[in-house]
Amino acid sequence: MVKFVKPSLNRGLAGRLAASRGADGGFGPRVGAPPEPEATALAAIALDDEDARTWLASRQREDGSLALELGGVDNDAATALAAIAFGPGEPRERALDYLAGAMAAAVDVAPVNPAFPGWPWTRDTAGWVEPTARTLLAFRLFRAQATNSIAIGLGLLRDRECVTGGWNYGSRSVYGLSLPPFGQTTAIALVGIQRADLALAERGLQALRHLWREERDGGLTLATSVAALGLLDDVDHGPAMSAMIENFTRTDFLGDVVALAWGTIATGPGLERLRVLS
Amino acid sequence: MGSMEPTDRDHAGRMDRRTFLRGAAVGLGLAATSLAGVRVWRERHGSTQWDAAAFPPPGEGRVAVLHAASYDDGLQEKVLDGLRAIGADVRGAAVLLKPNFVEYDPGTAINTDPRLVVAAASALRRLGAASVTVGEGPGHRRDTQYVMTRSGLLDALREEDVPFVDLNTDALVARRLRTSFTDLGALWLPRSVADADIVVSMPKMKTHHWAGVTLSLKNCFGCVPGRVYGWPKNALHWAGLEEAIVDVAAAVRPDLAIVDGIVGMEGNGPISGTPIASNVLVFGNDPVATDVVAAKLMGFDPTRVPHLAEAGRFLGQGDLGRIRMEGEDDGRLAKDFAVLPAFRSMKIEGAVGPA
């Protein structure tokens, strides 16, 4: 296994991320914004941060989820990240219990296979690549016996794989027109899959090797790509990391805390917290 | 942050969700074949889907249609002409300029042209705006930095010292809906949108493979944050795309609209269509009226576009006969935008465009 931790690179990102912490220990989606579950969960993973975990625990609902909720919309997609961020114990188990029962609504419309609904962004809606990949990762890391949930997560990612490899947001085609893969969604999918399906992962890596170059103007794309390439010990990990650091140094990722957190994870010990050992 | 209740009572009257829009919600492209038209919409929703106290009867809208051959020459003066023609008064106002940046794909016409965005920001400043901020929350890409950088918008704004705010990561404000076409009941809006004195919706003139057209009303989808509603804002699609267009636009309530039709998109819009040199800019002090005129310029019968027909009942002026036209002869500037077969019934008879 390649040693991926880059202390000097990680310090800059981690320092910037840590500086964005709110007074109550949580992290907002942008530097200076009020705390929210997703940014706080990622920061907790990136920094191994107890205050952030405390913030998450204080926002965990009785059913185990963490959410942004208003009116008819309940975005519970950060629950999987929180499950990863929590240490061993009740909060993590409650989050995983919730996820096991919070699959997406089945959509029985070709080309989607309704047997693999995956997980949604918002409760009781359709499944998408990113929230499914996060949930798949949480189960593979901490509840390997949840074979049905893992099969459904992997099934969705196999089902939604773009014709050219990699992933768009949710479907491989619209009106019969093949959709292109995106760097960020492909990277997140690979973080979820890792070595669970080597052929699927290799096709995704082939796509990602050109996507991160095409999309190197995006900090979030680069940060998630570096994480995925690192977890899969790919030869592109070093070049992608260099591109990410160059982007961060020049743009501060526009203050996007989620991108800062992924960048910190990708260059530091947080990456090992996402690695599935099998 | 967890649950937040809207500040006053929730709406009543929940609508049934429709299977075809669930298909649309996962990007399957089924909605167009099931568009039921305005008659079915009204059977579904009845006539009391908005709070009359919040929406006084629409007055006369003012819309200006100006010919613009390209993005290169005299664009700022052209925008000034258009804004003056509709009587836009932005003096002392904090303006949020909301263009349409969905995705980056070189050689296509997906996004509002950055040169026009900069020209509009400069024109608004010259008209006395206290501040002009450009804000967008891309619906099709989570990586806003990627879309804004590759499209050239960030560099163009930086050159003119115009600030940009990512509406997908902005702080949130809860806003109770005064309409109930969906069962959303309330929306999170970015603080930059909620706090602006004037919101200018600045869409690209495009066809849309689920809604017929995407103009200044549909452009408001970019005002709600993906980190709540998902990418590509799928909770809105799930709630019913056409209904959500009306609910979101009624929550944002843009004050002005500037439609970039210098190069539009026809066919399988809003992402995969074909550029069309439509050579027109449409300005309006009423987004509904602006969209109605723009849709007609594209060869659509606005009364057959469900979200326009419905918004025209309460949100703005939908009656072409009651829209005060300024500028040039809009008939001369019309272009027949090609549509997918499912949308031919929305086109003006004899103007169905190529297949």
Side-chain angles (χ1 to χ4, degrees):
Chain A
M1 184 186 303
V2 179
K3 184 71 172 172
F4 290 111
V5 178
K6 305 285 184 186
S8 60
L9 302 180
N10 182 254
R11 269 196 297 275
L13 281 155
R16 181 71 171 123
L17 176 62
S20 72
R21 182 200 316 276
D24 61 359
F27 291 76
R30 175 196 298 170
V31 175
E36 292 179 8
E38 182 190 27
T40 303
L42 285 168
I45 297 166
L47 302 171
D48 193 18
D49 189 288
E50 197 55 40
D51 288 345
R53 280 193 280 270
T54 300
W55 187 95
L56 290 169
S58 72
R59 265 63 175 185
Q60 190 173 27
R61 300 190 295 197
E62 281 189 19
D63 64 6
S65 67
L66 288 98
L68 286 167
E69 179 188 0
L70 180 69
V73 170
D74 190 58
N75 185 321
D76 57 2
T79 304
L81 295 174
I84 297 168
F86 286 135
E90 186 194 338
R92 173 181 286 166
E93 295 307 315
R94 288 172 53 217
L96 292 170
D97 289 345
Y98 173 81
L99 291 167
M103 284 178 198
V107 178
D108 190 6
V109 181
V112 165
N113 185 341
F116 305 112
W119 280 265
W121 286 109
T122 59
R123 196 168 180 161
D124 298 329
T125 61
W128 293 80
V129 167
E130 182 166 353
T132 297
R134 295 168 171 183
T135 306
L136 172 64
L137 178 63
F139 280 120
R140 293 188 65 224
L141 282 169
F142 303 119
R143 196 173 281 183
Q145 71 275 23
T147 52
N148 185 51
S149 292
I150 290 170
I152 285 174
L154 271 174
L156 179 137
L157 295 176
R158 291 176 180 129
D159 186 45
R160 311 289 179 91
E161 182 190 15
C162 292
V163 172
T164 55
W167 288 267
N168 196 282
Y169 276 117
S171 184
R172 67 174 68 200
S173 66
V174 172
Y175 284 131
L177 185 70
S178 295
L179 296 175
F182 298 157
Q184 183 253 341
T185 42
T186 296
I188 293 289
L190 288 171
V191 168
I193 296 165
Q194 296 186 33
R195 289 176 172 77
D197 182 331
L198 292 176
L200 183 66
E202 179 52 34
R203 290 194 298 274
L205 277 173
Q206 285 180 15
L208 187 60
R209 287 180 199 124
H210 73 81
L211 288 168
W212 77 258
R213 288 182 167 85
E214 288 178 5
E215 301 175 14
R216 61 193 301 154
D217 288 314
L220 180 61
T221 298
L222 285 171
T224 51
S225 295
V226 174
L229 294 165
L231 288 167
L232 286 158
D233 302 331
D234 192 78
V235 293
D236 259 12
H237 179 248
M241 184 180 292
S242 298
M244 180 189 73
I245 294 301
E246 186 279 326
N247 184 309
F248 167 65
T249 304
R250 185 168 42 83
T251 71
D252 192 38
F253 294 163
L254 304 186
D256 181 339
V257 172
V258 169
L260 289 170
W262 274 109
T264 306
I265 289 169
T267 54
L271 193 63
E272 295 310 310
R273 297 183 192 109
L274 303 187
R275 189 182 298 278
V276 178
L277 303 172
S278 54
Chain B
M1 185 183 301
S3 172
M4 180 180 286
E5 290 303 317
T7 51
D8 43 10
R9 69 177 174 78
D10 202 348
H11 74 292
R14 307 256 168 174
M15 59 167 282
D16 291 331
R17 291 169 172 164
R18 292 167 295 155
T19 303
F20 72 86
L21 281 171
R22 288 181 169 174
V26 285
L28 303 177
L30 295 178
T33 57
S34 302
L35 278 171
V38 177
R39 183 181 57 77
V40 174
W41 170 297
R42 292 192 178 153
E43 286 173 358
R44 194 164 62 228
H45 296 296
S47 58
T48 57
Q49 302 304 119
W50 64 89
D51 180 349
F55 300 98
E60 180 189 62
R62 287 178 74 178
V63 176
V65 179
L66 301 183
H67 176 261
S70 78
Y71 292 101
D72 294 324
D73 298 324
L75 206 50
Q76 190 181 135
E77 295 303 319
K78 186 75 75 174
V79 175
L80 273 172
D81 289 346
L83 291 172
R84 286 175 176 142
I86 60 168
D89 183 2
V90 299
R91 289 171 297 176
V95 177
L96 189 282
L97 187 57
K98 163 63 179 76
N100 184 206
F101 283 77
V102 187
E103 167 66 281
Y104 172 73
D105 190 1
T108 64
I110 296 172
N111 303 323
T112 310
D113 193 282
R115 290 166 289 185
L116 184 62
V117 178
V118 170
S122 300
L124 289 161
R125 284 171 166 172
R126 285 176 63 182
L127 289 172
S131 66
V132 180
T133 300
V134 172
E136 171 63 306
H140 209 244
R141 286 278 191 164
R142 179 159 189 175
D143 194 333
T144 300
Q145 184 187 12
Y146 164 70
V147 176
M148 298 304 156
T149 304
R150 288 302 295 273
S151 67
L153 182 67
L154 283 187
D155 281 347
L157 295 177
R158 198 174 292 121
E159 283 180 17
E160 297 298 323
D161 201 22
V162 178
F164 172 80
V165 59
D166 178 359
L167 300 180
N168 278 332
T169 61
D170 201 10
L172 300 174
V173 174
R175 179 165 290 182
R176 182 180 74 92
L177 294 181
R178 310 296 291 269
T179 55
S180 54
F181 292 96
T182 67
D183 60 359
L184 293 170
L187 280 176
W188 291 110
L189 289 183
R191 180 164 294 286
S192 300
V193 173
D195 287 353
D197 298 321
I198 289 177
V199 174
V200 182
S201 181
M202 199 171 181
K204 194 73 167 172
M205 181 182 272
K206 294 188 289 188
T207 53
H208 191 287
H209 58 196
W210 295 322
V213 295
T214 170
L215 295 161
S216 67
L217 300 182
K218 173 66 174 62
N219 185 39
C220 293
F221 267 32
C223 288
V224 300
R227 73 182 193 278
V228 179
Y229 297 96
W231 278 272
K233 311 284 169 91
N234 72 288
L236 303 179
H237 292 72
W238 189 269
L241 178 64
E242 296 154 306
E243 291 88 342
I245 292 172
V246 183
D247 271 352
V248 172
V252 174
R253 293 185 89 160
D255 302 278
L256 301 170
I258 305 172
V259 180
D260 175 7
I262 296 178
V263 177
M265 178 182 279
E266 63 180 353
N268 189 12
I271 304 291
S272 305
T274 307
I276 173 172
S278 32
N279 301 124
V280 71
L281 291 170
V282 187
F283 300 82
N285 67 353
D286 171 337
V288 177
T290 310
D291 285 8
V292 162
V293 170
K296 182 164 174 275
L297 285 166
M298 298 164 73
F300 282 80
D301 177 347
T303 67
R304 298 182 199 169
V305 179
H307 73 267
L308 293 184
E310 202 62 20
R313 298 175 70 197
F314 73 101
L315 184 58
Q317 186 53 257
D319 181 351
L320 278 164
R322 295 189 61 202
I323 296 171
R324 182 173 152 191
M325 295 300 301
E326 312 281 359
E328 301 176 41
D329 176 359
D330 59 311
R332 188 177 61 81
L333 296 173
K335 289 274 185 176
D336 187 7
F337 278 52
V339 295
L340 296 173
F343 293 96
R344 286 181 181 155
S345 63
M346 291 187 185
K347 296 297 292 287
I348 296 166
E349 222 163 290
V352 295

